[in-house]
Amino acid sequence: DVKVTQSSRYLVKRTGEKVFLECVQDMDHENMFWYRQDPGLGLRLIYFSYDVKMKEKGDIPEGYSVSREKKERFSLILESASTNQTSMYLCASSLFRGGETQYFGPGTRLLVL
Amino acid sequence: AQKVTQAQTEISVVEKEDVTLDCVYETRDTTYYLFWYKQPPSGELVFLIRRNSFDEQNEISGRYSWNFQKSTSSFNFTITASQVVDSAVYFCALSTTSGTYKYIFGTGTRLKVLA
């Protein structure tokens, strides 16, 4: 079974803090993704990576950066957290490019005060 | 442009009723894939099904069935004899192989199954 894990289920941070969200997959998948999920908006893609050290902006990259130093690990960084980044963050991975099934982690609920 | 529409925001049914969740998609690609995911209250999206554009056969898995119709660009999901454990948010998604790594998700349908 594919296993995608996220470093935290719940996080509370203060405005202006630097926040790191980590995601690890154990199935040697090429692609990894970060989404945020907000009520009524569904899942919106923040960044994705199709290889180590490679990254592409998604639909809402502003205020975020990512890092992929190892194939199995994809980190999302909030450089200076703001209250409008309070959300559910979901990490996913897939074997190859478009068309393959994405497998999701359990999500991180982030509250920025 | 690619788009997935789930017009039903929330559906409530009584246990044992059948329920159909609608999904309408838009794409100009001839090769594409459609997915359904379930998101229970715990938050994790659970993969249910993947269907490619060349396979229009309906699929049945236990109480779940999927109806793919290219003529109407729809990929509907039916739960037969619903149970309380089916209560969740269900997402339909689209992905193509035309060079993008993106997956397009619908906004989800919240299903409440009442005992």
Side-chain angles (χ1 to χ4, degrees), chain A residues 14-99:
Chain A
R14 298 232 172 252
T15 302
E17 278 192 75
K18 191 168 187 176
V19 181
F20 293 86
L21 303 182
E22 285 218 317
C23 175
V24 177
Q25 49 95 3
D26 67 356
M27 282 303 291
D28 205 32
H29 282 177
E30 300 287 334
N31 301 330
M32 296 188 75
F33 307 79
W34 275 107
Y35 293 90
R36 66 176 280 176
Q37 181 182 7
D38 301 288
L41 298 178
L43 275 70
R44 293 182 292 168
L45 182 65
I46 305 171
Y47 268 97
F48 63 95
S49 168
Y50 51 90
D51 202 351
V52 175
K53 296 191 187 296
M54 305 301 288
K55 60 185 179 185
E56 291 278 346
K57 293 180 180 179
D59 300 316
I60 52 164
E62 297 78 21
Y64 303 95
S65 62
V66 290
S67 171
R68 194 169 181 199
E69 297 295 319
K70 293 185 177 182
K71 191 175 186 179
E72 68 272 16
R73 191 179 299 269
F74 191 35
S75 300
L76 178 69
I77 303 153
L78 286 65
E79 298 290 344
S80 178
S82 63
T83 54
N84 62 15
Q85 292 179 308
T86 291
S87 186
M88 171 72 141
Y89 290 88
L90 291 161
C91 175
S93 72
S94 68
L95 185 57
F96 297 124
R97 57 198 294 163

Coordinates of all heavy atoms in Angstrom, one line a residue, chain A residues 14-99:
Chain A
R14 N 1.7 31.6 14.9 CA 1.4 33.1 15.0 C 1.8 33.8 13.7 O 2.7 33.3 13.0 CB 2.2 33.7 16.1 CG 1.9 33.1 17.5 CD 1.6 34.2 18.5 NE 1.1 33.6 19.7 CZ -0.2 33.7 20.1 NH1 -1.1 34.3 19.4 NH2 -0.6 33.2 21.2
T15 N 1.1 34.8 13.4 CA 1.3 35.7 12.2 C 2.8 36.0 12.2 O 3.4 36.5 13.2 CB 0.5 36.9 12.3 OG1 -0.9 36.5 12.3 CG2 0.7 37.8 11.0
G16 N 3.4 35.9 11.0 CA 4.8 36.2 10.8 C 5.8 35.1 11.0 O 6.9 35.2 10.6
E17 N 5.3 34.0 11.6 CA 6.2 32.9 11.8 C 6.5 32.2 10.5 O 5.7 32.2 9.6 CB 5.6 31.8 12.8 CG 5.7 32.2 14.3 CD 5.3 31.0 15.1 OE1 6.1 30.0 15.2 OE2 4.2 31.0 15.7
K18 N 7.7 31.5 10.5 CA 8.0 30.7 9.3 C 7.5 29.3 9.7 O 7.8 28.8 10.8 CB 9.5 30.7 9.1 CG 9.9 30.0 7.8 CD 11.4 30.3 7.5 CE 11.8 29.8 6.1 NZ 13.2 30.2 5.7
V19 N 6.8 28.7 8.8 CA 6.1 27.4 9.0 C 6.6 26.4 8.0 O 6.7 26.6 6.8 CB 4.6 27.5 8.9 CG1 3.9 26.2 9.3 CG2 4.1 28.6 9.9
F20 N 6.9 25.2 8.5 CA 7.4 24.1 7.7 C 6.3 22.9 7.8 O 6.1 22.5 8.9 CB 8.7 23.6 8.1 CG 9.9 24.5 7.9 CD1 10.2 25.5 8.9 CD2 10.6 24.5 6.7 CE1 11.2 26.4 8.7 CE2 11.7 25.4 6.6 CZ 11.9 26.3 7.5
L21 N 5.9 22.5 6.6 CA 5.0 21.3 6.6 C 5.8 20.3 5.8 O 6.2 20.6 4.6 CB 3.7 21.6 5.9 CG 2.8 22.8 6.6 CD1 1.5 22.9 5.8 CD2 2.6 22.5 8.0
E22 N 5.9 19.1 6.4 CA 6.6 18.1 5.7 C 5.7 16.9 5.2 O 4.8 16.5 5.9 CB 7.7 17.5 6.6 CG 8.9 18.5 6.8 CD 10.2 17.7 6.8 OE1 10.2 16.7 7.5 OE2 11.2 18.1 6.2
C23 N 6.1 16.3 4.1 CA 5.4 15.2 3.5 C 6.4 14.2 3.1 O 7.4 14.5 2.4 CB 4.5 15.7 2.4 SG 3.7 14.4 1.4
V24 N 6.1 12.9 3.4 CA 7.0 11.8 3.0 C 6.1 10.7 2.4 O 5.1 10.4 2.9 CB 7.7 11.3 4.2 CG1 8.6 10.1 3.8 CG2 8.6 12.4 4.9
Q25 N 6.6 10.2 1.3 CA 5.9 9.1 0.6 C 6.9 7.9 0.5 O 8.1 8.1 0.3 CB 5.3 9.4 -0.7 CG 6.3 10.1 -1.7 CD 7.0 9.2 -2.6 OE1 6.8 8.0 -2.7 NE2 7.9 9.8 -3.4
D26 N 6.4 6.7 0.6 CA 7.3 5.5 0.7 C 7.2 4.6 -0.5 O 7.6 3.5 -0.5 CB 7.0 4.7 2.0 CG 5.6 4.1 1.9 OD1 4.9 4.3 0.9 OD2 5.3 3.4 2.9
M27 N 6.7 5.2 -1.6 CA 6.5 4.3 -2.8 C 7.3 4.7 -4.0 O 7.0 4.4 -5.1 CB 5.0 4.3 -3.2 CG 4.2 3.4 -2.3 SD 4.8 1.7 -2.2 CE 4.4 1.1 -3.9
D28 N 8.3 5.5 -3.8 CA 9.2 5.9 -4.9 C 8.5 6.6 -6.0 O 8.8 6.5 -7.2 CB 9.9 4.6 -5.5 CG 11.2 4.9 -6.1 OD1 11.9 5.9 -5.7 OD2 11.6 4.3 -7.1
H29 N 7.5 7.4 -5.6 CA 6.8 8.2 -6.6 C 7.6 9.3 -7.2 O 8.3 10.0 -6.4 CB 5.5 8.7 -6.0 CG 4.4 7.6 -5.9 ND1 3.2 7.8 -5.4 CD2 4.4 6.3 -6.4 CE1 2.4 6.8 -5.5 NE2 3.1 5.8 -6.0
E30 N 7.4 9.6 -8.5 CA 8.1 10.7 -9.1 C 7.5 12.1 -8.7 O 8.2 13.0 -8.5 CB 8.0 10.6 -10.6 CG 8.6 9.3 -11.2 CD 10.1 9.3 -11.1 OE1 10.7 10.4 -11.1 OE2 10.7 8.2 -11.1
N31 N 6.2 12.1 -8.6 CA 5.5 13.4 -8.5 C 5.0 13.6 -7.1 O 4.4 12.6 -6.5 CB 4.3 13.5 -9.4 CG 4.7 13.3 -10.9 OD1 5.8 13.7 -11.2 ND2 3.8 12.8 -11.7
M32 N 5.1 14.8 -6.6 CA 4.5 15.1 -5.3 C 3.8 16.5 -5.4 O 4.2 17.4 -6.2 CB 5.5 15.1 -4.2 CG 6.1 13.7 -4.0 SD 7.2 13.6 -2.5 CE 6.0 13.6 -1.2
F33 N 2.8 16.7 -4.6 CA 1.9 17.9 -4.7 C 1.5 18.4 -3.4 O 1.4 17.6 -2.4 CB 0.6 17.5 -5.4 CG 0.7 16.7 -6.7 CD1 1.1 15.4 -6.8 CD2 0.6 17.4 -7.9 CE1 1.2 14.7 -8.0 CE2 0.7 16.7 -9.1 CZ 1.0 15.4 -9.2
W34 N 1.4 19.7 -3.3 CA 0.8 20.3 -2.1 C -0.5 21.1 -2.6 O -0.5 21.9 -3.5 CB 1.7 21.3 -1.5 CG 2.7 20.7 -0.5 CD1 4.0 20.5 -0.7 CD2 2.4 20.2 0.8 NE1 4.6 19.9 0.4 CE2 3.6 19.7 1.3 CE3 1.2 20.2 1.6 CZ2 3.6 19.2 2.6 CZ3 1.3 19.6 2.8 CH2 2.5 19.1 3.3
Y35 N -1.6 20.8 -1.8 CA -2.8 21.5 -2.0 C -3.3 22.2 -0.7 O -2.9 21.7 0.3 CB -3.9 20.5 -2.4 CG -3.8 19.7 -3.7 CD1 -3.1 18.5 -3.8 CD2 -4.4 20.3 -4.8 CE1 -3.0 17.9 -5.0 CE2 -4.3 19.6 -6.0 CZ -3.6 18.4 -6.1 OH -3.5 17.7 -7.3
R36 N -4.1 23.2 -0.9 CA -4.8 23.6 0.3 C -6.3 23.5 0.0 O -6.8 23.6 -1.2 CB -4.5 25.1 0.7 CG -4.9 26.2 -0.3 CD -4.5 27.5 0.3 NE -5.5 28.0 1.2 CZ -5.5 29.1 1.9 NH1 -4.4 29.9 1.8 NH2 -6.4 29.5 2.8
Q37 N -7.1 23.2 1.0 CA -8.5 22.9 0.9 C -9.2 23.9 1.8 O -9.0 23.9 3.0 CB -8.8 21.5 1.3 CG -10.3 21.2 1.2 CD -10.6 19.8 1.6 OE1 -9.8 19.0 2.1 NE2 -11.9 19.3 1.4
D38 N -10.1 24.6 1.2 CA -11.0 25.6 1.9 C -12.4 25.3 1.6 O -12.7 25.0 0.5 CB -10.6 27.0 1.6 CG -9.1 27.3 1.9 OD1 -8.8 27.4 3.1 OD2 -8.3 27.4 0.9
P39 N -13.3 25.6 2.5 CA -14.7 25.3 2.3 C -15.3 26.0 1.1 O -15.0 27.2 0.9 CB -15.4 25.8 3.6 CG -14.3 25.8 4.6 CD -13.0 26.0 3.9
G40 N -15.9 25.3 0.2 CA -16.5 25.8 -1.0 C -15.6 26.0 -2.1 O -16.0 26.4 -3.2
L41 N -14.3 25.9 -1.9 CA -13.3 26.1 -3.0 C -12.6 24.8 -3.4 O -11.9 24.8 -4.4 CB -12.2 27.1 -2.5 CG -12.7 28.5 -2.1 CD1 -11.6 29.3 -1.6 CD2 -13.4 29.1 -3.3
G42 N -12.9 23.7 -2.8 CA -12.3 22.4 -3.2 C -10.8 22.4 -2.9 O -10.3 23.1 -2.0
L43 N -10.1 21.7 -3.7 CA -8.6 21.6 -3.6 C -8.0 22.5 -4.6 O -8.3 22.5 -5.8 CB -8.2 20.2 -3.8 CG -8.2 19.2 -2.7 CD1 -9.6 18.8 -2.3 CD2 -7.4 17.9 -3.0
R44 N -7.1 23.3 -4.1 CA -6.3 24.2 -5.0 C -4.8 23.9 -4.9 O -4.3 23.7 -3.8 CB -6.6 25.7 -4.6 CG -8.0 26.1 -4.9 CD -8.2 27.6 -4.5 NE -8.1 27.8 -3.1 CZ -8.0 29.0 -2.5 NH1 -8.0 30.1 -3.3 NH2 -7.9 29.1 -1.2
L45 N -4.2 23.7 -6.0 CA -2.8 23.3 -6.1 C -1.9 24.5 -5.8 O -2.0 25.5 -6.4 CB -2.5 22.8 -7.5 CG -1.1 22.3 -7.7 CD1 -0.8 21.0 -6.9 CD2 -0.9 21.9 -9.2
I46 N -1.0 24.3 -4.8 CA 0.0 25.3 -4.5 C 1.3 25.1 -5.3 O 1.7 26.1 -6.0 CB 0.3 25.2 -3.0 CG1 -1.0 25.3 -2.1 CG2 1.2 26.4 -2.6 CD1 -0.8 25.1 -0.7
Y47 N 1.9 24.0 -5.2 CA 3.1 23.6 -5.9 C 3.1 22.2 -6.2 O 2.4 21.4 -5.5 CB 4.3 23.9 -5.0 CG 4.9 25.3 -5.2 CD1 4.6 26.3 -4.3 CD2 5.8 25.6 -6.2 CE1 5.2 27.6 -4.4 CE2 6.4 26.8 -6.4 CZ 6.1 27.8 -5.5 OH 6.7 29.1 -5.6
F48 N 3.8 21.8 -7.2 CA 4.1 20.4 -7.4 C 5.5 20.2 -7.8 O 6.2 21.1 -8.2 CB 3.1 19.7 -8.4 CG 3.1 20.3 -9.8 CD1 3.9 19.6 -10.7 CD2 2.4 21.4 -10.1 CE1 3.9 20.1 -12.0 CE2 2.4 21.9 -11.4 CZ 3.2 21.2 -12.4
S49 N 6.0 18.9 -7.7 CA 7.4 18.6 -8.1 C 7.3 17.3 -8.8 O 6.7 16.3 -8.4 CB 8.2 18.5 -6.8 OG 9.4 17.9 -7.1
Y50 N 8.0 17.2 -10.0 CA 8.1 16.0 -10.8 C 9.4 15.3 -10.7 O 9.7 14.3 -11.4 CB 7.7 16.3 -12.2 CG 8.4 17.4 -12.8 CD1 9.6 17.2 -13.5 CD2 8.0 18.7 -12.7 CE1 10.3 18.2 -14.1 CE2 8.7 19.8 -13.3 CZ 9.9 19.5 -14.0 OH 10.5 20.5 -14.5
D51 N 10.3 15.9 -9.9 CA 11.6 15.2 -9.7 C 12.3 15.9 -8.6 O 12.0 17.0 -8.2 CB 12.4 15.3 -11.0 CG 13.5 14.3 -11.1 OD1 13.8 13.6 -10.1 OD2 14.2 14.2 -12.2
V52 N 13.4 15.3 -8.1 CA 14.2 15.9 -7.0 C 14.7 17.3 -7.5 O 15.1 17.4 -8.6 CB 15.3 15.0 -6.6 CG1 16.2 15.7 -5.6 CG2 14.8 13.7 -6.1
K53 N 14.6 18.2 -6.6 CA 15.0 19.6 -6.9 C 14.2 20.3 -8.0 O 14.6 21.5 -8.4 CB 16.5 19.7 -7.2 CG 17.4 19.2 -6.1 CD 18.9 19.5 -6.3 CE 19.8 18.9 -5.2 NZ 19.5 19.5 -3.9
M54 N 13.2 19.7 -8.5 CA 12.4 20.3 -9.5 C 11.1 20.7 -8.9 O 10.5 20.0 -8.1 CB 12.1 19.4 -10.7 CG 13.4 18.8 -11.3 SD 14.5 20.1 -12.0 CE 13.5 20.7 -13.4
K55 N 10.6 21.9 -9.3 CA 9.3 22.3 -8.7 C 8.6 23.2 -9.8 O 9.2 23.8 -10.6 CB 9.5 23.1 -7.4 CG 10.4 24.4 -7.6 CD 10.6 25.0 -6.3 CE 11.5 26.3 -6.5 NZ 11.9 26.9 -5.2
E56 N 7.3 23.2 -9.7 CA 6.5 24.0 -10.6 C 5.4 24.7 -9.7 O 4.8 24.1 -8.8 CB 5.8 23.1 -11.6 CG 6.7 22.5 -12.6 CD 7.1 23.5 -13.8 OE1 6.4 24.5 -13.9 OE2 8.0 23.2 -14.5
K57 N 5.1 25.9 -10.1 CA 4.0 26.6 -9.4 C 2.7 26.0 -9.8 O 2.5 25.7 -11.0 CB 4.1 28.1 -9.7 CG 5.3 28.8 -9.2 CD 5.2 30.3 -9.5 CE 6.5 31.0 -9.0 NZ 6.5 32.5 -9.3
G58 N 1.8 26.0 -8.8 CA 0.4 25.6 -9.1 C -0.4 26.9 -9.3 O 0.0 27.9 -9.9
D59 N -1.6 26.8 -8.8 CA -2.6 27.9 -9.1 C -2.5 29.0 -8.0 O -2.8 30.2 -8.3 CB -4.0 27.3 -9.1 CG -4.2 26.3 -10.2 OD1 -3.7 26.5 -11.3 OD2 -4.8 25.2 -9.9
I60 N -2.0 28.7 -6.8 CA -1.9 29.7 -5.8 C -0.6 29.6 -5.0 O -0.5 29.4 -3.8 CB -3.1 29.5 -4.8 CG1 -3.2 28.1 -4.3 CG2 -4.4 29.9 -5.4 CD1 -4.0 27.9 -3.0
P61 N 0.5 29.9 -5.7 CA 1.8 29.8 -5.0 C 2.2 31.0 -4.1 O 3.2 30.8 -3.4 CB 2.8 29.7 -6.2 CG 2.1 30.5 -7.3 CD 0.6 30.3 -7.1
E62 N 1.5 32.0 -4.2 CA 1.9 33.3 -3.5 C 1.9 33.0 -2.0 O 1.0 32.5 -1.4 CB 1.0 34.4 -3.8 CG 1.0 34.9 -5.3 CD 0.2 33.9 -6.2 OE1 -0.7 33.2 -5.7 OE2 0.4 33.9 -7.4
G63 N 3.1 33.4 -1.4 CA 3.2 33.2 0.1 C 3.8 31.9 0.5 O 3.9 31.6 1.7
Y64 N 4.0 31.0 -0.5 CA 4.5 29.7 -0.2 C 5.8 29.4 -1.0 O 6.0 30.0 -2.1 CB 3.5 28.6 -0.6 CG 2.2 28.8 0.0 CD1 1.1 29.4 -0.6 CD2 1.9 28.2 1.3 CE1 -0.1 29.5 0.0 CE2 0.7 28.3 1.8 CZ -0.3 29.0 1.2 OH -1.6 29.1 1.8
S65 N 6.6 28.5 -0.5 CA 7.7 28.0 -1.3 C 7.8 26.5 -0.9 O 7.1 26.0 0.0 CB 9.1 28.7 -0.9 OG 9.4 28.5 0.4
V66 N 8.6 25.8 -1.7 CA 8.7 24.3 -1.5 C 10.2 23.9 -1.6 O 11.0 24.6 -2.2 CB 7.8 23.5 -2.5 CG1 6.4 23.7 -2.2 CG2 8.2 23.9 -3.9
S67 N 10.4 22.7 -1.1 CA 11.7 22.1 -1.2 C 11.6 20.6 -1.4 O 10.8 20.0 -0.7 CB 12.5 22.4 0.1 OG 13.7 21.7 0.1
R68 N 12.4 20.1 -2.4 CA 12.4 18.7 -2.6 C 13.9 18.3 -2.8 O 14.4 18.2 -3.9 CB 11.6 18.2 -3.7 CG 11.3 16.7 -3.7 CD 10.3 16.3 -4.7 NE 10.1 14.9 -4.7 CZ 9.5 14.2 -5.6 NH1 9.1 14.8 -6.7 NH2 9.3 12.9 -5.5
E69 N 14.5 18.0 -1.7 CA 15.9 17.5 -1.7 C 16.1 16.0 -1.9 O 17.1 15.6 -2.4 CB 16.6 18.0 -0.4 CG 16.6 19.5 -0.2 CD 17.5 20.2 -1.3 OE1 18.6 19.7 -1.7 OE2 17.1 21.2 -1.8
K70 N 15.1 15.3 -1.5 CA 15.1 13.8 -1.7 C 13.8 13.4 -2.3 O 12.8 14.1 -2.1 CB 15.3 13.1 -0.3 CG 16.6 13.4 0.3 CD 16.7 12.5 1.6 CE 18.1 12.7 2.2 NZ 18.3 11.9 3.4
K71 N 13.8 12.3 -3.0 CA 12.7 11.9 -3.8 C 11.5 11.7 -2.9 O 10.3 12.0 -3.3 CB 13.0 10.6 -4.5 CG 12.0 10.2 -5.6 CD 12.5 9.0 -6.4 CE 11.5 8.7 -7.5 NZ 12.0 7.5 -8.3
E72 N 11.6 11.2 -1.7 CA 10.5 10.8 -0.9 C 9.9 11.9 -0.1 O 8.9 11.8 0.6 CB 10.9 9.6 0.0 CG 11.9 10.0 1.1 CD 13.4 9.8 0.7 OE1 13.6 9.8 -0.6 OE2 14.2 9.8 1.6
R73 N 10.6 13.1 -0.1 CA 10.2 14.1 0.8 C 9.9 15.5 0.1 O 10.7 15.9 -0.7 CB 11.3 14.4 1.9 CG 11.0 15.2 3.0 CD 12.2 15.3 4.0 NE 12.6 14.0 4.5 CZ 12.1 13.5 5.6 NH1 11.2 14.2 6.4 NH2 12.5 12.3 6.0
F74 N 8.8 16.1 0.4 CA 8.4 17.3 -0.2 C 7.9 18.3 0.9 O 6.9 18.0 1.6 CB 7.3 17.0 -1.2 CG 7.0 18.2 -2.2 CD1 8.0 19.0 -2.6 CD2 5.7 18.3 -2.7 CE1 7.7 20.1 -3.5 CE2 5.4 19.3 -3.6 CZ 6.4 20.2 -4.0
S75 N 8.6 19.4 1.0 CA 8.3 20.3 2.1 C 7.6 21.6 1.6 O 8.0 22.1 0.5 CB 9.5 20.7 2.9 OG 10.2 19.6 3.4
L76 N 6.6 22.0 2.3 CA 5.9 23.3 2.0 C 6.3 24.3 3.1 O 6.3 24.0 4.3 CB 4.4 23.1 2.0 CG 3.6 24.3 1.8 CD1 3.7 24.8 0.3 CD2 2.1 24.0 2.0
I77 N 6.7 25.5 2.6 CA 7.2 26.5 3.6 C 6.3 27.7 3.4 O 6.1 28.2 2.3 CB 8.7 26.8 3.3 CG1 9.5 25.5 3.4 CG2 9.2 27.9 4.3 CD1 10.7 25.6 2.5
L78 N 5.8 28.2 4.6 CA 5.2 29.5 4.6 C 6.2 30.4 5.2 O 6.6 30.4 6.3 CB 3.9 29.4 5.5 CG 2.7 28.7 5.0 CD1 2.9 27.2 4.8 CD2 1.5 28.9 5.9
E79 N 6.7 31.3 4.3 CA 7.8 32.2 4.7 C 7.4 33.1 5.9 O 8.2 33.3 6.8 CB 8.2 33.0 3.5 CG 8.7 32.2 2.3 CD 10.1 31.5 2.6 OE1 10.8 31.9 3.6 OE2 10.5 30.6 1.9
S80 N 6.2 33.6 5.8 CA 5.8 34.5 6.9 C 4.3 34.3 7.0 O 3.5 34.9 6.3 CB 6.1 36.0 6.6 OG 5.6 36.8 7.6
A81 N 3.9 33.4 7.9 CA 2.5 33.0 8.0 C 1.5 34.2 8.2 O 1.8 35.1 8.9 CB 2.3 32.0 9.1
S82 N 0.4 34.1 7.5 CA -0.6 35.1 7.7 C -2.0 34.4 8.0 O -2.1 33.2 7.7 CB -0.8 36.0 6.4 OG -1.2 35.2 5.3
T83 N -2.9 35.2 8.5 CA -4.2 34.6 8.9 C -4.9 34.0 7.7 O -5.6 33.0 7.9 CB -5.0 35.6 9.7 OG1 -5.2 36.7 8.8 CG2 -4.4 36.0 11.0
N84 N -4.7 34.5 6.5 CA -5.4 34.0 5.4 C -4.8 32.7 4.9 O -5.3 32.1 3.9 CB -5.6 35.0 4.2 CG -4.2 35.5 3.7 OD1 -3.2 34.8 4.0 ND2 -4.2 36.5 2.9
Q85 N -3.8 32.2 5.5 CA -3.2 30.9 5.2 C -3.7 29.8 6.2 O -3.3 28.7 6.1 CB -1.7 31.0 5.2 CG -1.1 31.8 4.1 CD 0.4 31.9 4.1 OE1 1.0 32.2 5.1 NE2 1.0 31.6 3.0
T86 N -4.6 30.2 7.1 CA -5.3 29.2 7.9 C -6.1 28.3 6.9 O -7.0 28.8 6.2 CB -6.3 29.9 8.9 OG1 -5.5 30.6 9.9 CG2 -7.2 28.9 9.6
S87 N -5.8 27.0 7.0 CA -6.5 26.1 6.0 C -6.1 24.7 6.3 O -5.3 24.4 7.3 CB -6.0 26.5 4.6 OG -6.6 25.7 3.6
M88 N -6.6 23.8 5.5 CA -6.2 22.4 5.5 C -5.2 22.2 4.4 O -5.5 22.6 3.3 CB -7.5 21.5 5.3 CG -7.2 20.1 5.1 SD -6.6 19.2 6.6 CE -7.5 17.6 6.4
Y89 N -4.1 21.6 4.7 CA -3.1 21.4 3.7 C -2.9 19.9 3.5 O -2.7 19.1 4.4 CB -1.7 22.0 4.1 CG -1.8 23.5 4.1 CD1 -2.2 24.2 5.2 CD2 -1.4 24.2 3.0 CE1 -2.3 25.6 5.2 CE2 -1.5 25.6 3.0 CZ -1.9 26.3 4.1 OH -2.0 27.7 4.0
L90 N -3.0 19.6 2.2 CA -3.0 18.2 1.8 C -1.8 17.9 0.9 O -1.6 18.6 -0.1 CB -4.3 17.8 1.1 CG -5.5 17.7 2.0 CD1 -6.8 17.8 1.1 CD2 -5.5 16.5 2.8
C91 N -1.0 16.9 1.2 CA 0.1 16.4 0.3 C -0.4 15.2 -0.4 O -1.2 14.4 0.1 CB 1.3 16.1 1.2 SG 2.7 15.4 0.3
A92 N 0.1 15.1 -1.7 CA -0.2 13.9 -2.5 C 1.0 13.5 -3.3 O 1.9 14.3 -3.5 CB -1.4 14.2 -3.4
S93 N 1.0 12.2 -3.7 CA 2.1 11.8 -4.6 C 1.4 10.9 -5.7 O 0.4 10.3 -5.5 CB 3.1 11.0 -3.8 OG 2.7 9.7 -3.4
S94 N 2.1 10.8 -6.8 CA 1.7 9.9 -7.9 C 2.9 9.4 -8.6 O 4.0 10.0 -8.5 CB 0.8 10.6 -8.9 OG 1.5 11.6 -9.6
L95 N 2.8 8.2 -9.2 CA 3.9 7.5 -9.7 C 4.6 8.3 -10.9 O 5.8 8.5 -10.9 CB 3.4 6.1 -10.2 CG 4.5 5.2 -10.8 CD1 5.6 5.0 -9.7 CD2 3.9 3.9 -11.2
F96 N 3.8 8.6 -11.9 CA 4.3 9.4 -13.0 C 3.5 10.6 -13.2 O 2.9 11.1 -12.3 CB 4.3 8.5 -14.3 CG 5.1 7.3 -14.2 CD1 4.6 6.0 -14.4 CD2 6.5 7.3 -13.9 CE1 5.4 4.9 -14.2 CE2 7.2 6.2 -13.8 CZ 6.7 5.0 -14.0
R97 N 3.5 11.1 -14.4 CA 2.9 12.4 -14.7 C 1.4 12.2 -14.8 O 0.9 11.1 -14.5 CB 3.5 13.1 -15.9 CG 3.4 12.2 -17.1 CD 4.4 12.7 -18.2 NE 4.0 14.0 -18.7 CZ 4.8 14.8 -19.3 NH1 6.1 14.4 -19.5 NH2 4.4 16.0 -19.7
G98 N 0.7 13.2 -15.3 CA -0.7 13.2 -15.4 C -1.4 12.0 -15.8 O -1.0 11.3 -16.7
G99 N -2.5 11.7 -15.1 CA -3.2 10.5 -15.4 C -3.1 9.4 -14.4 O -3.9 8.5 -14.2

